[in-house]
Amino acid sequence: MARDPLVTAAGIARLAGVGRAAVSNWRRRHPHFPRPVGGSGASPSFSLAEVEKWLREQGKLVELPLVERVWHRLEADPRGVAEALLAAGEALRDHADYGPAAVSEAAGCPGLGELGAEGPAAAFELLAGRHLDANTREHTRTPEPVAALMAALAGEPRSVLDPACGAGGLLAAAAADGRVPALHGTDSDAVLARLADLRLALRRPEGAAIRSADALRTDPGTERPVEAVLCHPPFNQRHWGHRDLVHDPRWEYGVPARTDSELAWVQHALARLRPGGTAVLLMPPAAASRRTGRRIRAALLRRGALRAVVALPAGSAPPHHLPLHLWVLRRPAAEPPADPRLLLVDAASQEEWSGVTEQTLAAWRAFNSRGTAAEQPEVWRVLPVLQLLDDDVDLVPARHLARGPGGDSASLAAVRGEFDAAARNALRLAPAPGARDAGSPPPAATVGELLRTGALAMLSADAEPEAGDVAVPLHPSDGGAPAYVVDGARAEAEDATEPGAWAVLRVDPQVLDAWFVAGCLGSSANTRLASGHGARTRLDVRRLRVPRMSLAEQQRLGHELRRLAEFRRALHRAGALGLRYAQGVCDGLVDGSLQPRREPQAEPPAEGRE
C-alpha cells in the first residue's frame, strides 16, 4: 500500500545537511516551500516526497548513501520506526526472490530492495542495529563477544532456549559456526520478539520458534525441555511476579526474594532443562553475594546445580559500569553428587577480550571433563562446595582465589624493571607544548554531515573493524576515553574493558586523515558537546565535530596526534605496571613475605658521644 511518509523540520535539516535555523529561514523566505500537512504549530510535519522534490529543485538535497536514504524512509514512516522496520524485515524475508522492486513495494520503503539485493540478512542487520543502538534505554543488547563465549560454554546442544531473548543475539550466537540447534525464545516485548524472529529467519532457513510472553509468569509445565538455556535476564526487576508465584513449582532451590529476580531467572532456566542440560546466564555481581539470596545459592551448590562462576571485565556488557558474572549451571540428576565442586574464574583483569575467552574456556573444559582443573593463582580455582557454605555463601571469584607470587622479591624486581623501562619510554614520547596560535578556529563539520556526504561511514555493531577505522567510545569517562585508529583490527588498551561500547567509523582516505579524525573526535570539547551531564550518558557520535581543513593540513596535524596516541599508550602501560608493583609490595608487607627496608641509623651528635 502506498504511503506518504512525513518528516519534521529536524529531518529536513538532516536531509539538507544544515541546522534547523536554516529550515526555519527557508520557510519564511520561500513562499513555495512545502506547507505542513500534520503535527502541531510548534512541531509541524511535512510530506517527505514534497520536501525532497523542493530540496532537489533548489539544489539543497545532499546525496545520501543508500542505507541512509532507507533509514530516513523508515524514520518518516507514519507507523513509527519499529513497525516500519518489522515491515522491512518481512519484505526482505518473503519477497527477496521477486527482485528489488517487489521488496521495496511490499515494505512501502523505496530503496530497500536495492539495499538488500546483495544480502537480505546483512541489510536487515544493518537497519536493526541502527534501531537498537538508537534505543539503548529500552533495548539491552548482549555484545557479540560475550554471546559467543556463552554459546561456547553451553557446548553443542541440539536445542537452545533464551527465555528473555530480546532481539535474538544469544540465539544467533548459538546457531553460529555451522551449528544448527532448534532455537526457542520468548520475550515480553512483542516488537523485540518479532525482531528476533525476523533476524533468525533471514540468517538461516530453519528460523526459530519465537513468541511474545513473560517467561516468569508463564507456566512452563507443558513446554518440552531443552538441552541448553542461554539468558541475559533483565536486572533488578521489582515487579517480576514475586507475590503471584510464591508457590510456583520452579522454586526447587528456594523462593526468591522480591529483590532477587535474577535468582528467579536462574531457577526458571534450570526448570526448562533436560537432566544434564546446561544453562549459561549473564548475572549482576550482586547475585553472587547478596544476603537475601544466600539460601538459594547454598541449595544450588549442595545439589551440584551451580557449576561455575566467571567474573568478566567491567564494561563487557550493559550496564557497562558493572563487572558482570557468568553463571554456568547444570540440571542435576535425581541423586546429588557426593562431592560437589565449583569452578571460580576471575577474568576481570584481562586486557584483551581474547584473553577472557581463552582463560574461561580452558578452565571450563578441564573442569567439565575431569571434575577438576589445575589451579592458576589469581585466575581460576576449583573449590569443594563445603568450603563455600558459610553464613554468607559469597561466590565472588576474586574473594576465593589464591594470591600469586606477586609479593616475592624476585617477581617484584622484574615488575619494577618493566615499570622503569615503561616510564622512560613514556618520558621519551612526551610531546613538548607547541606555540599558541591566536587565530580564530577553522569552521567544522559534524560527523552526521560527513556521514551524509560519504566521507565517513558508520559500521554496524557486529561488523569487524579494519585497519584505518576510527573507534569512538560511546561512554567516555571523566578521565577520558580518546578515540583511536584501529591497527590491524587489534584493540588498543583503552577499549579492552568495554567490548561493544564503541562506535566504529570508516574513513574515506581521499577526503580525511584517520588520525586527524580520531584526535579531533577524542578532544574534551567534543566530548562535552556531544554528551549530557550524566556519569554514563551515551555519546551522540553524530554531533561530534571535525575541523574543515585540506587533506595536507589534516595529515600534518594527524602525524602529531598519532605521536600523542603513542605517548598515551606508553603512559597507560607505565601506570598499569606502577600500580601492579605498588599492590605487590603492599601484599608482601601485609602477609610477611616482604620486610620493611631498614633505614640506616643516624650518627648521634658529637657532643653526645662518650
Side-chain angles (χ1 to χ4, degrees):
M1 182 176 62
R3 302 177 182 87
D4 186 12
L6 304 181
V7 63
T8 63
I12 297 173
R14 288 197 299 270
L15 286 171
V18 298
R20 289 189 60 177
V23 177
S24 301
N25 190 34
W26 293 342
R27 291 183 63 195
R28 289 194 302 269
R29 292 177 53 194
H30 300 285
H32 52 286
F33 188 88
R35 296 191 176 279
V37 295
S40 62
S43 180
S45 298
F46 305 83
S47 164
L48 178 60
E50 292 181 7
V51 167
E52 286 184 336
K53 180 175 181 293
W54 187 88
L55 290 173
R56 190 173 289 107
E57 290 173 348
Q58 302 297 315
K60 301 180 184 295
L61 183 64
V62 176
E63 192 60 35
L64 299 175
L66 179 58
V67 64
E68 291 291 335
R69 297 203 302 271
V70 171
W71 180 251
H72 278 304
R73 288 284 179 178
L74 297 180
E75 282 188 314
D77 195 292
R79 297 168 295 181
V81 178
E83 287 297 328
L85 176 63
L86 293 172
E90 291 167 354
L92 288 166
R93 179 193 63 189
D94 301 334
H95 296 82
D97 293 339
Y98 301 100
V103 172
S104 298
E105 175 65 24
C109 180
L112 177 65
E114 290 76 7
L115 183 65
E118 296 185 4
F124 189 65
E125 282 295 315
L126 197 62
L127 298 172
R130 176 76 68 88
H131 174 65
L132 294 171
D133 287 341
N135 297 275
T136 53
R137 291 188 178 181
E138 295 83 4
H139 310 316
T140 299
R141 302 177 73 181
T142 308
E144 194 168 307
V146 179
L149 175 57
M150 294 173 67
L153 288 168
E156 297 186 5
R158 290 172 294 180
S159 55
V160 179
L161 165 72
D162 185 348
C165 67
L170 286 174
L171 293 175
D177 300 326
R179 291 172 291 191
V180 287
L183 301 178
H184 308 271
T186 59
D187 199 273
S188 57
D189 187 318
V191 171
L192 281 180
R194 290 173 61 193
L195 185 60
D197 188 46
L198 285 168
R199 291 179 70 196
L200 294 165
L202 286 164
R203 281 173 178 238
R204 62 182 214 159
E206 300 87 355
I210 308 292
R211 62 193 182 95
S212 176
D214 186 333
L216 290 184
R217 293 178 181 270
T218 302
D219 182 7
T222 60
E223 299 176 9
R224 297 181 62 182
V226 295
E227 292 188 1
V229 173
L230 301 177
C231 187
H232 179 176
F235 298 161
N236 298 320
Q237 285 182 299
R238 291 295 183 266
H239 305 289
W240 55 271
H242 172 255
R243 287 188 176 181
D244 302 332
L245 300 173
V246 170
H247 302 292
D248 196 288
R250 286 173 290 182
W251 313 148
E252 294 182 41
Y253 304 89
V255 179
R258 186 176 67 87
T259 56
D260 283 327
S261 61
E262 299 86 8
L263 295 180
W265 285 101
V266 164
Q267 295 191 75
H268 174 80
L270 287 168
R272 293 300 317 276
L273 287 172
R274 295 177 182 174
T278 301
V280 185
L281 282 82
L282 190 62
M283 302 283 282
S289 59
R290 192 185 289 130
R291 288 191 60 80
T292 52
R294 64 188 186 278
R295 288 191 176 89
I296 294 177
R297 292 195 297 273
L300 291 168
L301 292 172
R302 289 192 189 97
R303 294 274 300 276
L306 183 56
R307 303 278 290 158
V309 177
V310 180
L312 301 177
S316 298
H320 293 289
H321 63 287
L322 291 179
L324 301 184
H325 290 176
L326 290 178
W327 285 24
V328 185
L329 303 109
R330 181 162 294 159
R331 183 168 179 81
E335 293 296 326
D339 183 23
R341 294 172 178 267
L342 180 72
L343 170 66
L344 295 161
V345 181
D346 186 7
S349 61
Q350 279 293 312
E351 294 185 354
E352 301 283 349
W353 183 257
S354 59
V356 175
T357 300
E358 183 179 346
Q359 276 189 351
T360 302
L361 292 180
W364 169 249
R365 286 166 179 162
F367 174 69
N368 194 36
S369 61
R370 301 192 296 269
T372 185
E375 178 181 348
Q376 185 169 334
E378 297 186 317
V379 180
W380 71 67
R381 186 182 185 188
V382 177
L383 282 178
V385 161
L386 288 176
Q387 293 188 28
L388 299 166
L389 297 177
D390 54 17
D391 290 340
D392 296 321
V393 196
D394 190 328
L395 305 182
V396 176
R399 295 172 185 166
H400 299 281
L401 296 181
R403 183 180 63 81
D408 67 85
S409 56
S411 297
L412 283 173
V415 175
R416 174 60 187 263
E418 291 184 60
F419 167 69
D420 289 344
R424 287 194 298 270
N425 186 45
L427 285 171
R428 179 182 63 83
L429 293 170
R436 181 173 181 176
D437 185 358
S440 59
T446 66
V447 167
E449 292 167 350
L450 295 172
L451 289 170
R452 287 193 288 273
T453 61
L456 290 175
M458 183 86 72
L459 272 63
S460 61
D462 57 353
E464 186 70 22
E466 298 177 357
D469 290 343
V470 176
V472 184
L474 296 178
H475 300 280
S477 63
D478 291 339
Y484 71 92
V485 177
V486 175
D487 177 13
R490 176 179 60 84
E492 300 289 348
E494 290 92 345
D495 77 327
T497 59
E498 295 201 41
W502 295 67
V504 181
L505 300 169
R506 186 149 293 164
V507 176
D508 182 351
Q510 302 299 318
V511 182
L512 296 170
D513 178 79
W515 279 106
F516 169 75
V517 171
C520 294
L521 299 188
S523 71
S524 300
N526 244 335
T527 301
R528 289 193 299 269
L529 177 70
S531 60
H533 300 290
R536 297 296 301 174
T537 300
R538 186 182 177 88
L539 193 74
D540 185 352
V541 177
R542 295 169 183 270
R543 293 177 60 190
L544 296 172
R545 295 179 175 274
V546 177
R548 296 184 185 271
M549 295 183 180
S550 69
L551 185 57
E553 290 178 305
Q554 293 179 41
Q555 291 169 342
R556 180 177 60 82
L557 188 56
H559 176 72
E560 294 300 319
L561 290 168
R562 181 171 189 168
R563 291 182 58 188
L564 188 63
E566 292 173 357
F567 167 64
R568 184 180 287 116
R569 286 195 295 271
L571 200 62
H572 182 277
R573 173 166 172 73
L577 286 168
L579 290 174
R580 180 179 167 191
Y581 177 73
Q583 188 63 52
V585 172
C586 175
D587 293 345
L589 291 173
V590 170
D591 65 17
S593 60
L594 295 178
Q595 295 297 321
R597 289 186 302 175
R598 295 184 179 276
E599 299 292 342
Q601 294 186 356
E603 288 285 332
E607 58 272 18
R609 296 178 186 171
E610 295 182 359

